[in-house]
Amino acid sequence: MSMLRNIWKDKLAAISLSILAIVLTAGIFAPLFAPHDPNEVNMKLRYAASSWEYLLGNDHLGRCILSRLIYGIRPSVLWVLAALAGSVMLGTVVGFLAGFFRGKVDAVLMRVCDVMLSFPGYVMTLAIVGIMGVGLENILAAFILTKWAWFARVIRTSVLQYAESEYVRFAKAAGAGSFHIIRRHIIPVTASDVAVVSSSSFGSMILQISGFSFLGLGVQAPTAEWGMMLNEARAVMFSRPELMLAPGLTIIIVVSAINFLSDALQAALDPKLRTSTSKAAEQTSAAPAKQLLGKEVA
């Protein structure tokens, strides 16, 4: 609750959190919010302008753009969030094992991570998609297989900071088991780092899946997805640029909200950043008071 209060004090973070809550709710309950079937073709309404029935108009097949935007939340955000959770869970397990037990376990696991991280992420993803084939499921599997090593590296560094702390040593001396120490003493203090790392990667993964769909390697037609909508509107981008405006702005708004919220989350979970922010606010508020006192004395 204290974390939410700290985030809610930041207006930009509060707006970002509200936007993401609306987007996630609309994606989960898409049949309730979408005014039409996203795949319903009506050639009579081909390239129709916006109206009360179709607020954002219709695309090249007469489909409702607003409905396709709402249904596009599922592959563009919800399924990406599921892939992020899978890669974070795998990376967290590897990072905790390597950072806590160290020795040969750390050496073996980190060498595997070094091999995975030696290849650029996009190249690895393209290679996996080339082997497994195009499609949403293969893109999500590629995300999990390529992202976990980076998460493992970051989480291992966080675990190393606390693995030799005094309370962990005391727990070991008291006879507590390794997994008990990890569950009771390591996970609570590293959860903030995991949350910040996860949130910062969420936006980039949305951009990646939209980019792959735009190139024809991700979500395939007729499934509604923001990158696919950009790809379909590319043929008429000069004559009807408004068709690219809706999915493009949606991607920008959602990814920007995630990035702003990630920064606020880091400040809310890190006591040092929170203290420095409060001190800066106090100094800013105290400066006009000092000026007034100086004027009164003069």
Side-chain angles (χ1 to χ4, degrees), residues 45-190:
L45 297 174
R46 188 169 183 260
Y47 296 129
S50 59
S51 61
W52 286 110
E53 186 177 2
Y54 299 92
L55 295 179
L56 296 181
N58 303 77
D59 62 4
H60 64 294
L61 295 177
R63 298 173 296 187
C64 177
I65 294 178
L66 177 59
S67 299
R68 292 184 65 78
L69 275 180
I70 294 175
Y71 272 88
I73 296 173
R74 293 183 170 183
S76 300
V77 180
L78 295 181
W79 285 111
V80 171
L81 185 60
L84 175 65
S87 58
V88 169
M89 288 179 61
L90 181 58
T92 300
V93 172
V94 174
F96 270 89
L97 292 176
F100 187 81
F101 293 102
R102 289 177 294 180
K104 292 182 179 180
V105 176
D106 184 22
V108 172
L109 292 177
M110 287 303 101
R111 295 300 77 77
V112 175
C113 291
D114 290 340
V115 172
M116 295 297 297
L117 294 174
S118 62
F119 298 96
Y122 278 101
V123 175
M124 281 290 293
T125 305
L126 287 173
I128 294 173
V129 171
I131 295 172
M132 300 176 63
V134 299
L136 176 61
E137 297 82 1
N138 297 334
I139 286 287
L140 297 179
F143 281 165
I144 296 174
L145 293 175
T146 57
K147 298 287 184 182
W148 70 267
W150 184 78
F151 289 121
R153 270 287 185 186
V154 175
I155 294 169
R156 170 186 174 271
T157 303
S158 178
V159 172
L160 286 174
Q161 298 176 0
Y162 303 101
E164 292 298 323
S165 57
E166 293 182 358
Y167 59 88
V168 173
R169 291 182 179 179
F170 179 80
K172 290 180 179 179
S178 298
F179 291 101
H180 175 79
I181 295 174
I182 291 175
R183 181 173 58 86
R184 292 293 300 274
H185 302 292
I186 305 296
I187 291 180
V189 294
T190 57

Side-chain angles (χ1 to χ4, degrees), residues 38-39 63 68 71-72 75 136 219-226 228-229 232:
N39 297 324
R63 298 173 296 187
R68 292 184 65 78
Y71 272 88
L136 176 61
V219 178
Q220 300 297 302
T223 303
E225 197 274 335
W226 297 341
M228 175 58 62
M229 294 177 67
E232 292 173 344

Side-chain angles (χ1 to χ4, degrees), residues 176-206:
S178 298
F179 291 101
H180 175 79
I181 295 174
I182 291 175
R183 181 173 58 86
R184 292 293 300 274
H185 302 292
I186 305 296
I187 291 180
V189 294
T190 57
S192 60
D193 295 335
V194 175
V196 171
V197 171
S198 304
S199 60
S200 62
S201 301
F202 189 23
S204 64
M205 292 177 68
I206 292 177

